[in-house]
Amino acid sequence: MTEIELLGPTAHGPACGTAVLKATAEDFQVNEVLDIPLEGEGEHLWLWVEKRGLNTEEAARRLARAAGVPLRAISYAGLKDRQALTRQWFSLHLPGKTDPELSAAEGDALCILKRARHRRKLQRGAHAANGFTLRLTELAADRDKLEERLSKIAAEGVPNYFGLQRFGYEGGNLGEARHFAQQGSLPEQRNRRSRILSAARSYLFNQVLAQRVAAGSWNVARVGDLLAFTDSRSFFPAGEAECSDPRLAALDLHPTGPLWGEGDSPAGGAVQQEEQGVAADAAGLPAWLADAGLRHERRILRLPINGLSWHYPEPDILQLDFVLPAGCFATVVVRELVSLATAGQTDTPCDF
């Protein structure tokens, strides 16, 4: 499937030019932001790990082997891409054990930067945000248009699509999801099941968001919308008064879209009708997600880009620095700027 089918239209106009992303791992750097003070004691050893050319699951297996513990004893907050230079936290459950020797896990691809004990394990989604440093190389773009576009997305944000990484190579994860939905079944393997359920939910969300981008309503509140703050999973209905809340203009408050699960969309009016229209056209995916035991959740439609700055280390290189909430994709920021002549592919879902 094409990018436009899996995601949707861009919001700020055609690309300002072309560039290459991920020519090297150093061109795509991610730092996990974790606002949890570590206590210095407890049965969980937390590790701040730098990895290059290694995805999160492979890093977890390396740590498990080196520590002599089962893979289930390793926890992490989010999945990070293979083709990148990333720094993220892992925790090892070591009840009654001293700190293990972990040098066997280290090498060119993995380095342990920090260690600390804590009483609790690291939970999925526990990180507050991800900080990014991206280098777009072989840049061929209209510099004036690019500067204008950068200023615009800094002020207005971008549509909060799930990135192509979520869907696998050529949308393969979504293809699997459709196959199992037609059969009314789920794969036995936990990781595979999680991957295709996530792809199906993400695709449906993207379809709703694509309709709102096309209509020009992705960044405004409508009566019947469900609103949420940037870093909150709770939401509340929008009436006439809420649609004029100044926090919407400040990019603190946003309209949301559905992450399908049990029950109908809790949105109201025309918003609910539009969301149910997407569900009706989805060949059984919403019912399949509900049968899998997922509950209906919401995700913000607009992605604010915190601390965006940029410069040109070389005439044909654009470096971007910014922070995104956990679970959001840096690649959807890039697609509002340039078309990628060559992009790195991911083989596992990741949260950027």
Side-chain angles (χ1 to χ4, degrees):
M1 297 183 70
T2 66
E3 177 178 310
I4 197 69
E5 290 174 309
L6 291 170
L7 277 67
T10 57
H12 297 297
C16 301
T18 62
V20 170
L21 181 61
K22 300 185 183 180
T24 69
E26 284 72 15
D27 291 337
F28 199 108
Q29 298 187 36
V30 190
N31 284 298
E32 206 169 66
V33 179
L34 193 71
D35 295 331
I36 299 175
L38 300 180
E39 297 165 320
E41 60 181 8
E43 60 185 35
H44 298 273
L45 176 63
W46 288 42
L47 305 173
W48 178 236
V49 172
E50 179 180 272
K51 55 189 186 59
R52 176 187 287 101
L54 198 67
N55 69 34
T56 299
E57 293 169 338
E58 291 170 334
R61 286 192 288 269
R62 281 196 182 197
L63 293 170
R65 285 195 300 268
V69 298
L71 184 59
R72 65 178 179 272
I74 311 296
S75 301
Y76 43 83
L79 295 169
K80 302 292 184 287
D81 203 355
R82 177 196 302 274
Q83 185 59 20
L85 175 61
T86 65
R87 300 171 190 90
Q88 71 174 116
W89 286 97
F90 292 82
S91 74
L92 285 64
H93 189 205
L94 303 169
K97 298 180 181 180
T98 60
D99 290 2
E101 171 57 51
L102 295 173
S103 58
E106 297 188 275
D108 292 341
L110 187 150
C111 178
I112 298 171
L113 303 176
K114 189 185 301 183
R115 308 168 188 234
R117 285 275 181 163
H118 195 55
R119 295 181 184 179
R120 296 182 179 180
K121 78 172 188 177
L122 178 57
Q123 300 285 346
R124 289 297 294 268
H127 57 311
N130 289 302
F132 294 90
T133 296
L134 307 186
R135 285 165 54 94
L136 299 173
T137 59
E138 300 182 34
L139 178 68
D142 184 308
R143 181 74 66 89
D144 291 337
K145 289 183 179 179
L146 191 55
E147 290 287 320
E148 181 180 352
R149 183 68 55 81
L150 284 160
S151 297
K152 188 174 181 64
I153 67 171
E156 300 179 11
V158 301
N160 192 23
Y161 291 116
F162 286 95
L164 289 177
Q165 302 97 309
R166 182 56 57 92
F167 305 107
Y169 180 66
E170 294 186 345
N173 294 342
L174 179 60
E176 282 192 67
R178 285 172 165 163
H179 168 76
F180 279 97
Q182 289 172 356
Q183 301 298 318
S185 62
L186 288 166
E188 294 183 3
Q189 304 95 324
R190 181 179 177 182
N191 285 349
R192 187 183 183 194
R193 183 167 64 248
S194 175
R195 171 167 51 82
I196 65 172
L197 287 170
S198 178
R201 271 185 132 190
S202 301
Y203 173 73
L204 294 172
F205 174 88
N206 279 3
Q207 295 305 295
V208 171
L209 177 52
Q211 285 190 4
R212 299 219 20 184
V213 171
S217 64
W218 64 279
N219 55 355
V220 296
R222 301 158 62 196
V223 173
D225 261 326
L226 298 165
L227 306 181
F229 291 98
T230 302
D231 298 317
S232 175
R233 294 185 179 180
S234 62
F235 52 85
F236 58 91
E240 293 288 351
E242 287 77 14
C243 290
S244 301
D245 192 313
R247 292 172 294 186
L248 287 160
L251 273 65
D252 293 329
L253 185 65
H254 316 275
T256 66
L259 296 175
W260 254 278
E262 294 177 344
D264 293 331
S265 166
V271 176
Q272 184 190 58
Q273 292 175 12
E274 291 167 7
E275 293 180 3
Q276 296 293 16
V278 169
D281 292 337
L285 287 177
W288 177 68
L289 291 166
D291 290 343
L294 298 177
R295 62 186 181 89
H296 190 105
E297 299 175 304
R298 307 294 292 187
R299 173 182 170 92
I300 57 176
L301 295 177
R302 177 176 59 182
L303 177 58
I305 308 167
N306 295 326
L308 177 62
S309 64
W310 62 89
H311 69 281
Y312 302 87
E314 302 289 343
D316 64 345
I317 297 176
L318 170 63
Q319 179 168 317
L320 306 171
D321 293 275
F322 54 89
V323 177
L324 298 181
C328 298
F329 289 74
T331 48
V332 305
V333 177
V334 174
R335 78 189 292 259
E336 293 286 346
L337 300 172
V338 295
S339 296
L340 294 179
T342 304
Q345 296 289 340
T346 61
D347 58 356
T348 59
C350 61
D351 64 357
F352 52 78

